[in-house]
Amino acid sequence: MPPPADIVKVAIEWPGAFPKLMEIDQKKPLSAIIKEVCDGWSLVNHEYYALQHADSSNFYITEKNRSDIKNGAILRLTTSPAQNAKQLHERIQSSSMDAKLEALKDLASYSRDVTFAQEFINLDGISLLTQMVESGTDFGDMLSFTLTAFVELMDHGIVSWDTFSVAFIKKVNLYPTVYALNEMANILAQKQLRAIILTNVIRAQRAINNEMAHQLYVLQVLTFNLLEDRMMTKMDPQDQAQRDIIFELRRIAFDAESEPNNSSGSVEKRKSMYTRDYKKLGFINHVNPAMDFTQTPPGMLALDNMLYFAKHHQDAYIRIVLENSSREDKHECPFGRSSIELTKMLCEILKVGELPSETCNDFHPMFFTHDRSFEEFFCICIQLLNKTWKEMRATSEDFNKVMQVVKEQIMRALTTKPSSLDQFKSKLQNLSYTEILKIRQSERMNQEDFQSRPILELKEKIQPEILELIKQQRLNRLVEGTCFRKLNSRRRRQIPQGEVPHDSLQDKLPVADIKAVVTGKDCPHMKEKGALKQNKEVLELAFSILYDSNGQLNFIAPDKHEYCIWTDGLNALLGKDMLSDLTRNDLDTLLSMEIKLRLLDLENIQIPDAPPPIPKEPSNYDFVYDCN
């Protein structure tokens, strides 16, 4: 016959004695049961004793939790919580540093039990630990165990987190060694103390000096490094517990209105729908999405982020999944693939897994304002990614482009050092895809202006020299002379060609008598009757020299090149600008060549003052190749 429900059979241990088998009547007061156990071992003062579980938890048994005792449980008779708290309260004040350290280790272990914690707190234990932190000079194990015990005690919610002093905040945040910071990061990981202490420090931004900023940076890095294990852990496709997380993502997205505990029959009935649902969720592997999480990084960290988003921002999660799964225009944003790649990107941005720099002070205050800051950071960024995807009207082929834009949006928002996650989210709202394009264009123009400014200055400096060189070339060509033809005669008129003695020239016109040089329609011979009927090519080659007494010399150049040479040369003689297309082309070519030569990297190259000597002739020419 099974024992009555009010009777449980247990084994009770006592140091130095054989365990006793005993039936516990759950209807009896717990104090009566403890007295009965003490009497069995002839122990007096039974009020100084208590029962606790003999497993790794070592939690005390109280009237509130005694119903959790199961048949076959192993219990231990031990010192009562009140006595234990009193003894540890005295031990941690020992003058012996070794004894104090051992007491703090025990305190850190016992403080996990809420029953013990209540008794220790009743002895004003929190104040005692706070004073030890404020006045302590040891930044090693002593402070580490003190903080561990403090966190465990505070984690029960018995005492308000606002009870610690400014001196306590300063001591915790001015940890001077990376070793201590590493211990602190492990102690405070995902604990409310980290968020509250650091939030209070950040509120006093003016008081943060370089040393404190560096410590906050190191703490930020070490805290994020706690994610490295999940980031480098591959998902086991055969692990049912891990697969259940994916099932939960599917259930929240598509079965949110149904009962959370579906019968096995209904689950079997839905198995045929899973592949379709996993495709809607945006996984790459629709049949077994667990395979999507076998790449490290981001490993299981991506799945953790997705589940956090689905549970803590359920409305946003469902909206994103259903909004994209219902689209049929190939513009759907794959939530699964996006989450995996985004997690990997965030780990790169925050340098998860890297050691902190010894000199860097670059910390982000917003990561100290939430107990799950990385997960919340992901939730904001995945919604940004979905928004940017729609703004870019992206398809699967544009996935990498979208990720690049999203990374730029995140990086630009982080550079503003937002003090909270809400402020970070607000910054992102002002960094839409359109705004990113404007910023890129503006920066590109500024960069081009910055880079071209020295070139423009160099051009301005060189240009007079180049123009003088072109001018001399034009004048030399005028000296050589060219043959021209007249419109009103079949004879060809020759302007000096070659080195002809000036005295042998019959028609001479001193340069001083020239009033102007006109071209095209302004030429007198182009205004004569019938002249305008000439073809356009002739009109573009016409120019005239006007001189005193309404005299004029009219010309038609044989080609465009000669036209430019003579109009430039004549204008140069008159002290005017050379405006032909040939001059502009020559100027651009010569300027470009000269600038390239001047910008050559000549570092450590000796430029000789004289040309190198011509080498001696070789003794034979057998090395010459005969082309025949």
Side-chain angles (χ1 to χ4, degrees):
M1 293 290 293
D6 295 332
I7 302 296
V8 289
K9 293 183 178 181
V10 299
I12 300 179
E13 298 177 344
W14 173 252
F18 290 105
K20 285 186 176 183
L21 298 178
M22 182 176 178
E23 291 185 352
I24 293 180
D25 186 352
Q26 293 286 40
K27 292 181 179 180
K28 285 185 178 181
L30 186 59
S31 58
I33 296 173
I34 294 174
K35 183 178 184 306
E36 185 178 345
V37 174
C38 290
D39 291 343
W41 274 306
S42 302
L43 298 174
V44 296
N45 299 326
H46 66 86
E47 63 273 12
Y48 292 160
Y49 295 93
L51 292 174
Q52 67 179 180
H53 292 279
D55 55 17
S56 58
S57 68
N58 293 328
F59 286 168
Y60 282 101
I61 296 171
T62 65
E63 292 288 357
K64 291 182 179 180
N65 64 23
R66 61 184 295 181
S67 59
D68 296 335
I69 302 175
K70 307 297 181 183
N71 276 322
I74 301 177
L75 308 181
R76 180 186 299 117
L77 183 66
T78 185
T79 309
S80 68
Q83 282 295 108
N84 199 6
K86 183 178 179 181
Q87 293 172 5
L88 281 173
H89 193 275
E90 295 173 354
R91 288 172 57 196
I92 61 176
Q93 300 180 72
S94 172
S95 58
S96 170
M97 298 303 291
D98 291 338
K100 180 182 290 189
L101 181 61
E102 289 301 317
L104 287 170
K105 289 181 181 179
D106 291 341
L107 179 61
S109 175
Y110 280 112
S111 295
R112 293 177 299 162
D113 189 337
V114 64
T115 307
F116 170 85
Q118 182 66 69
E119 296 293 342
F120 189 81
I121 290 171
N122 290 341
L123 297 174
D124 207 14
I126 293 293
S127 297
L128 177 60
L129 293 179
T130 302
Q131 292 171 7
M132 291 174 62
V133 171
E134 293 175 3
S135 60
T137 57
D138 189 302
F139 291 96
D141 290 339
M142 190 73 72
L143 187 54
S144 174
F145 285 112
T146 305
L147 282 176
T148 302
F150 179 86
V151 170
E152 294 293 352
L153 291 169
M154 296 295 296
D155 212 30
H156 296 297
I158 301 172
V159 180
S160 171
W161 286 92
D162 297 325
T163 57
F164 42 80
S165 64
V166 175
F168 179 81
I169 295 174
K170 285 185 176 180
K171 195 54 171 278
V172 172
N173 285 279
L174 288 177
Y175 251 139
T177 65
V178 172
Y179 165 77
L181 276 166
N182 191 31
E183 290 296 319
M184 182 170 140
N186 286 287
I187 293 168
L188 305 182
Q190 299 181 356
K191 295 290 184 181
Q192 208 170 358
L193 177 62
R194 175 172 61 89
I196 293 179
I197 289 179
L198 297 176
T199 300
N200 279 280
V201 172
I202 291 164
R203 285 173 185 167
Q205 285 285 345
R206 296 178 181 177
I208 294 181
N209 52 27
N210 288 336
E211 181 182 1
M212 184 179 293
H214 176 67
Q215 306 306 332
L216 291 173
Y217 154 75
V218 174
L219 180 58
Q220 173 184 286
V221 173
L222 295 175
T223 303
F224 282 136
N225 283 355
L226 297 173
L227 303 170
E228 185 178 9
D229 288 343
R230 297 296 285 173
M231 181 181 72
M232 301 307 296
T233 300
K234 296 181 179 180
M235 185 172 185
D236 182 2
Q238 306 304 320
D239 189 325
Q240 187 59 42
Q242 295 179 358
R243 290 165 63 92
D244 286 343
I245 300 177
I246 299 178
F247 294 154
E248 182 68 5
L249 290 174
R250 194 207 68 83
R251 185 197 67 77
I252 295 175
F254 303 112
D255 301 334
E257 296 181 357
S258 63
E259 293 295 327
N261 295 321
N262 293 320
S263 64
S264 59
S266 62
V267 172
E268 291 295 330
K269 189 176 180 180
R270 289 171 176 263
K271 277 187 176 181
S272 61
M273 303 168 57
Y274 281 3
T275 299
R276 184 193 66 185
D277 289 346
Y278 291 148
K279 183 178 181 180
K280 290 181 179 180
L281 278 169
F283 289 113
I284 298 175
N285 193 319
H286 305 154
V287 178
N288 186 7
M291 299 300 297
D292 288 9
F293 300 95
T294 56
Q295 180 185 2
T296 56
M300 288 296 293
L301 184 59
L303 188 59
D304 295 342
N305 286 337
M306 294 168 70
L307 183 63
Y308 182 90
F309 180 52
K311 287 188 172 182
H312 293 81
H313 301 272
Q314 187 168 321
D315 291 342
Y317 167 71
I318 294 174
R319 185 184 68 253
I320 288 177
V321 173
L322 297 185
E323 179 183 272
N324 288 285
S325 63
S326 61
R327 301 188 69 168
E328 298 180 356
D329 55 1
K330 297 183 180 180
H331 288 280
E332 64 276 3
C333 178
F335 173 74
R337 181 186 177 190
S338 299
S339 298
I340 293 170
E341 292 300 323
L342 178 63
T343 301
K344 183 178 179 181
M345 178 198 295
L346 297 183
C347 289
E348 292 174 356
I349 292 174
L350 300 177
K351 297 179 173 57
V352 177
E354 296 185 16
L355 293 176
S357 167
E358 295 182 0
T359 57
C360 184
N361 295 336
D362 185 18
F363 72 97
H364 299 284
M366 70 178 190
F367 290 121
F368 300 114
T369 60
H370 198 284
D371 200 35
R372 303 289 294 274
S373 59
F374 184 82
E375 289 84 348
E376 286 292 327
F377 185 50
F378 168 84
C379 294
I380 294 173
C381 293
I382 191 63
Q383 294 178 77
L384 168 72
L385 192 154
N386 185 68
K387 174 175 174 287
T388 302
W389 185 284
K390 290 188 293 185
E391 291 174 347
M392 295 177 65
R393 292 195 55 79
T395 64
S396 58
E397 296 177 355
D398 303 317
F399 187 87
N400 291 333
K401 294 180 181 178
V402 176
M403 295 303 295
Q404 290 175 1
V405 174
V406 170
K407 183 175 183 179
E408 184 174 349
Q409 290 171 314
I410 295 172
M411 294 295 291
R412 290 186 182 277
L414 287 177
T415 55
T416 63
K417 298 291 183 182
S419 59
S420 67
L421 290 165
D422 288 338
Q423 190 174 357
F424 171 72
K425 189 175 182 179
S426 178
K427 295 288 184 182
L428 290 177
Q429 291 177 352
N430 298 324
L431 288 171
S432 63
Y433 175 59
T434 303
E435 186 63 25
I436 289 295
L437 291 180
K438 291 180 181 179
I439 294 173
R440 285 179 176 179
Q441 183 178 6
S442 176
E443 291 179 348
R444 190 183 302 114
M445 293 178 64
N446 292 336
Q447 184 177 11
E448 289 176 355
D449 290 344
F450 176 77
Q451 293 176 345
S452 62
R453 193 175 299 115
I455 304 298
L456 291 175
E457 292 176 358
L458 183 59
K459 280 185 176 181
E460 292 175 357
K461 182 179 180 180
I462 298 175
Q463 185 166 315
E465 301 176 11
I466 302 298
L467 284 173
E468 183 63 28
L469 180 64
I470 295 173
K471 176 182 177 180
Q472 290 301 322
Q473 189 271 342
R474 299 292 191 266
L475 295 177
N476 290 337
R477 285 287 288 109
L478 262 60
V479 172
E480 293 178 5
T482 303
C483 289
F484 296 88
R485 59 188 176 87
K486 290 184 178 181
L487 286 177
N488 57 357
S489 175
R490 293 183 179 179
R491 294 179 302 160
R492 300 176 67 86
R493 183 180 183 90
Q494 181 172 344
I495 299 295
Q497 185 173 10
E499 295 183 2
V500 181
H502 289 258
D503 295 339
S504 64
L505 295 176
Q506 298 178 357
D507 298 328
K508 301 178 182 179
L509 177 63
V511 174
D513 294 341
I514 298 176
K515 291 182 176 181
V517 176
V518 294
T519 61
K521 294 180 180 180
D522 296 330
C523 296
H525 58 304
M526 291 293 103
K527 295 179 181 180
E528 296 175 358
K529 184 177 181 181
L532 292 177
K533 295 182 179 179
Q534 298 289 333
N535 59 41
K536 183 179 179 182
E537 181 180 356
V538 172
L539 189 64
E540 291 179 349
L541 297 178
F543 67 94
S544 300
I545 299 176
L546 306 181
Y547 55 93
D548 292 341
S549 302
N550 296 324
Q552 59 189 31
L553 292 175
N554 302 319
F555 303 92
I556 299 294
D559 53 48
K560 187 69 175 179
H561 180 78
E562 290 297 330
Y563 169 83
C564 293
I565 290 290
W566 277 87
T567 54
D568 284 343
L570 291 171
N571 282 321
L573 284 173
L574 299 177
K576 297 181 179 181
D577 294 334
M578 299 178 290
L579 303 176
S580 71
D581 294 339
L582 181 62
T583 294
R584 285 195 295 271
N585 293 335
D586 288 349
L587 180 62
D588 290 342
T589 301
L590 294 173
L591 272 177
S592 176
M593 293 177 60
E594 185 67 19
I595 287 174
K596 289 178 180 178
L597 288 172
R598 296 199 181 194
L599 294 179
L600 283 176
D601 186 7
L602 300 179
E603 185 177 359
N604 299 325
I605 297 178
Q606 296 294 331
I607 301 178
D609 296 330
I614 299 174
K616 295 181 180 180
E617 291 188 8
S619 58
N620 61 70
Y621 292 90
D622 295 340
F623 58 87
V624 177
Y625 178 75
D626 188 358
C627 296
N628 297 326

